[in-house]
Amino acid sequence: MFLRNAWYVAATKAEVADKLVARTIMNEPVVVFFNGRGEVCALEDRCCHRGAPLSLGCATETGIQCGYHGMMFERDGSCSHIPGQTKIPRNAKVKSYPVQQKGDYVWIWMGDPQAADAAGIADYPPDDPVAWPRANDMLHLRASYVMVLENLMDLSHLSYLHKSSIGSSESDSANASMDVSRTERGVKFLRVMRNADAPANWRKRYPTGQKVDRWSDFEYLAPSVIQQFSGGVNAGDYDKGVREGAHLVRTLHAITPETEKSCFYFFNKADGYARFEAPGTPRTWASTSDVFKEDAHMLEQQQLRLENFDASRLIDINTDVARVQMIRALKERIQKEQASKEERLSEPTIQQ
Ligand code: FES
Ligand SMILES: [Fe+2]
């Protein structure tokens, strides 16, 4: 089940810049595009005439034209033109969705349009007087969006799945401190490894043998966004309050459900270390994509194993503490939304 009254990333602005983007979100076909006036639009990607995908048509000054028989639709989904016909039937319309541009993304609201409040969209890029060079990418995964969130909320997997890239040793990981707390919008955790070996991907900056303190400061914003602030400093410096070392990143993870078993994983990484150097692509970007591909492979295989399986037979272990809180926060939001929907449905109709 999905939380509908929330903002999800529909596409990057760059994706939409020069084409109509067709994307299934929560099992609904959606087309995201800019009209000729430069306004961002999101409509049901299914023409109300014969069901053709509107994404096979073209943008007009104010909306979109179906590529099959030429009907035109406005941003609000209403039909404004039927070729060779002046009368437009009342039911000639497609569904429209609230959309907003923020950061590098177009965000979409799949729920009650009246409840859409742009203030709820996650802040990104980082609010910093020095521009952090950043880059973004998206992985289309055959795995539930919840699995991606769970992966990010349990970093103990770094020592195993990412042992040759960003993982510290098993013992460093086992000794990590972990502070977890619930917040108004979700869950926060701070994981700190003191006097740990620098992981392989950091070796250029921290020579072998040099110990580091590394931290991961994550905030889950229900339903599907995680903001990450992590870094590494020379061993002993973390407890002195030093936060700017040779490794410093902020990453936005935004995971949009496509279906119950697939999702779009958007990630956007700002590299604070590189900001002290010439601007450009963050120096750690290539390795970031490789690391997330390691996750992608595991998640897709995990999804297959969990199909037709009673998930209540799975167990929780100590390292699941933030993951479990995250699931609770998500379930609470979904249950609340369901309850208010049922309440509205059971309200008596006013008789005239
Ligand atoms: S299917 Fe769109 S105009 Fe006919
Ligand atoms: Fe991972």
Side-chain angles (χ1 to χ4, degrees):
M1 196 171 284
F2 304 122
L3 188 78
R4 301 194 67 88
N5 284 337
W7 292 101
Y8 295 87
V9 169
T12 63
K13 281 188 200 164
E15 280 181 291
V16 184
D18 57 357
K19 61 179 179 297
L20 311 181
V21 173
R23 189 148 282 159
T24 297
I25 302 176
M26 296 181 190
N27 295 313
E28 295 182 21
V30 177
V31 54
V32 186
F33 61 98
F34 285 111
N35 64 17
R37 292 179 180 166
E39 297 164 320
V40 66
C41 316
L43 296 175
E44 176 183 359
D45 191 16
R46 181 169 36 218
C47 180
C48 63
H49 175 220
R50 306 307 303 152
L54 292 177
S55 54
L56 295 180
C58 56
T60 62
E61 179 64 11
T62 55
I64 196 167
Q65 180 168 38
C66 179
Y68 202 0
H69 312 100
M71 283 175 66
M72 289 185 185
F73 300 90
E74 300 302 300
R75 283 185 84 205
D76 65 359
S78 61
C79 175
S80 52
H81 174 69
I82 301 179
Q85 179 172 334
T86 47
K87 184 166 168 31
I88 295 179
R90 259 194 319 172
N91 56 356
K93 59 182 177 215
V94 294
K95 187 171 177 181
S96 76
Y97 301 87
V99 268
Q100 291 284 333
Q101 296 181 61
K102 188 166 179 184
D104 297 321
Y105 297 110
V106 174
W107 300 77
I108 190 166
W109 182 272
M110 300 297 289
D112 174 7
Q114 302 297 327
D117 177 2
I121 301 176
D123 287 323
Y124 197 87
D127 181 18
D128 193 307
V130 182
W132 292 40
R134 65 182 193 275
N136 70 77
D137 204 351
M138 184 268 280
L139 292 171
H140 185 190
L141 299 182
R142 290 180 302 261
S144 149
Y145 78 105
V146 178
M147 277 187 191
V148 183
L149 294 168
E150 291 184 310
N151 164 283
L152 291 162
M153 295 303 278
D154 177 6
L155 296 184
S156 68
H157 78 271
L158 268 60
S159 296
Y160 306 92
L161 189 54
H162 308 306
K163 62 176 170 235
S164 54
S165 53
I166 57 168
S168 288
S169 70
E170 286 185 42
S171 59
D172 287 336
S173 181
N175 292 329
S177 66
M178 183 78 170
D179 293 309
V180 183
S181 55
R182 284 291 292 269
T183 64
E184 206 181 318
R185 294 191 60 183
V187 179
K188 258 174 118 81
F189 77 78
L190 174 64
R191 185 173 191 256
V192 184
M193 276 180 238
R194 292 171 177 81
N195 202 34
D197 291 327
N201 281 10
W202 298 14
R203 291 280 164 71
K204 280 192 201 122
R205 291 169 255 164
Y206 291 106
T208 309
Q210 186 182 344
K211 295 285 187 175
V212 298
D213 293 339
R214 62 182 297 196
W215 75 92
S216 303
D217 192 347
F218 279 49
E219 181 165 14
Y220 167 60
L221 306 173
S224 73
V225 168
I226 291 177
Q227 287 174 316
Q228 169 188 354
F229 178 31
S230 41
V233 291
N234 293 333
D237 280 355
Y238 181 83
D239 288 328
K240 293 179 195 154
V242 179
R243 294 293 179 272
E244 296 213 346
H247 181 75
L248 191 67
V249 296
R250 291 192 186 197
T251 308
L252 179 85
H253 307 265
I255 305 104
T256 303
E258 178 184 43
T259 66
E260 284 75 7
K261 296 175 184 174
S262 60
C263 66
F264 302 99
Y265 177 16
F266 296 90
F267 48 95
N268 195 320
K269 181 178 175 186
D271 191 328
Y273 175 67
R275 78 184 160 132
F276 302 113
E277 302 179 339
T281 304
R283 54 165 49 201
T284 56
W285 180 248
S287 60
T288 300
S289 289
D290 290 345
V291 169
F292 289 153
K293 280 176 193 154
E294 292 171 339
D295 291 302
H297 178 67
M298 180 62 86
L299 291 166
E300 292 190 338
Q301 295 306 309
Q302 185 190 4
Q303 175 75 54
L304 290 174
R305 287 293 175 276
L306 290 177
E307 272 168 33
N308 305 315
F309 177 79
D310 174 10
S312 67
R313 288 172 57 198
L314 299 174
I315 61 157
D316 298 333
I317 58 176
N318 285 351
T319 53
D320 284 312
V321 55
R323 185 191 66 77
V324 168
Q325 292 292 337
M326 182 277 293
I327 290 290
R328 275 191 202 144
L330 177 59
K331 276 190 179 161
E332 282 168 18
R333 286 282 303 271
I334 292 174
Q335 280 162 0
K336 206 167 153 195
E337 186 173 286
Q338 291 302 313
S340 74
K341 205 184 284 173
E342 278 157 26
E343 219 169 84
R344 278 204 309 277
L345 286 174
S346 64
E347 274 168 17
T349 326
I350 297 167
Q351 304 286 334
Q352 297 279 344

